[in-house]
């Protein structure tokens, strides 16, 4: 009779993804490229905790952005093209839809006022990350290679 090999003393962590809201995502030890969006503190944490379900931007995301989007929370607003900061990965989300920002979106966006000319990015499948790793925060949607 053949016996199964004994379990490894320290097995490699496996990727565990969750579609459940606010559940941590463990991805193991491998570098992956992620489409990334920087969001200023405390709104990245609000997204990760499910408190903020709409991100408001003056620009539209690329039409080919259909998969996961890594949210990096940083401390400073980035006003100029090429400006960067340091941030922490806080969540992985998907963009469900994008539409014009409406006054009724203020609570879900954790916003203080409505202004015309902005877009509501409806976020879904929020997966909270437990990371303290410092990473690049940049303007727009950018690619980040990271081991989560």
């Amino acid at each position: 009779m053949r016996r199964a090999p004994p379990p490894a003393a320290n097995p490699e962590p496996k990727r565990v993804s969750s579609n459940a809201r606010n559940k941590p995502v463990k991805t193991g030890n491998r570098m992956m490229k992620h489409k990334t969006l920087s969001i200023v503190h405390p709104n990245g944490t609000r997204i990760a905790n499910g408190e903020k379900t709409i991100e408001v931007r003056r620009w539209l995301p690329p039409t080919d952005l259909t998969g996961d989007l890594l949210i990096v929370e940083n401390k400073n607003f980035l006003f100029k093209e090429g400006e960067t900061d340091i941030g922490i990965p806080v969540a992985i989300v998907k963009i469900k839809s994008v539409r014009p920002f409406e006054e009724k979106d203020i609570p879900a966006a954790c916003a203080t006022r409505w202004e015309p000319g902005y877009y509501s990015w409806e976020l879904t499948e929020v997966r909270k990350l437990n990371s303290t790793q410092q990473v690049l925060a940049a303007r727009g949607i950018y690619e980040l290679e990271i081991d989560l």
Side-chain angles (χ1 to χ4, degrees):
M1 174 186 274
R2 295 178 68 186
R3 292 185 183 185
N10 292 318
E12 176 104 8
K14 293 181 181 172
R15 180 181 177 149
V16 178
S17 67
S18 173
N19 289 336
R21 214 175 185 176
N22 305 323
K23 298 268 177 119
V25 175
K26 297 177 185 174
T27 57
N29 295 325
R30 64 176 189 222
M31 298 292 279
M32 292 183 66
K33 291 182 181 180
H34 296 272
K35 298 290 184 183
T36 306
L37 179 67
S38 306
I39 298 180
V40 175
H41 176 81
N43 286 317
T45 299
R46 288 177 176 156
I47 289 169
N49 290 335
E51 300 164 25
K52 178 176 165 69
T53 57
I54 292 178
E55 174 61 11
V56 178
R57 295 283 164 148
R58 194 175 283 273
W59 49 276
L60 294 168
T63 55
D64 64 344
L65 182 62
T66 58
D68 289 340
L69 181 65
L70 176 65
I71 303 297
V72 168
E73 184 176 72
N74 60 303
K75 299 281 186 195
N76 302 299
F77 285 98
L78 306 174
F79 296 106
K80 298 176 185 169
E81 196 60 42
E83 196 172 5
T84 62
D85 195 10
I86 299 296
I88 304 290
V90 294
I92 295 174
V93 303
K94 290 190 181 211
I95 299 172
K96 178 181 177 182
S97 66
V98 178
R99 56 180 171 70
F101 181 46
E102 299 175 7
E103 199 166 351
K104 69 177 184 170
D105 295 333
I106 290 173
C110 296
T112 56
R113 67 185 186 284
W114 174 86
E115 287 186 36
Y118 285 82
Y119 297 96
S120 291
W121 298 16
E122 294 184 64
L123 306 177
T124 188
E125 296 185 42
V126 177
R127 290 148 287 162
K128 186 175 184 176
L129 299 174
N130 291 321
S131 176
T132 57
Q133 185 175 1
Q134 293 187 342
V135 298
L136 174 72
R139 287 176 49 91
I141 292 180
Y142 58 100
E143 196 164 88
L144 185 65
E145 189 169 353
I146 182 173
D147 174 13
L148 295 173

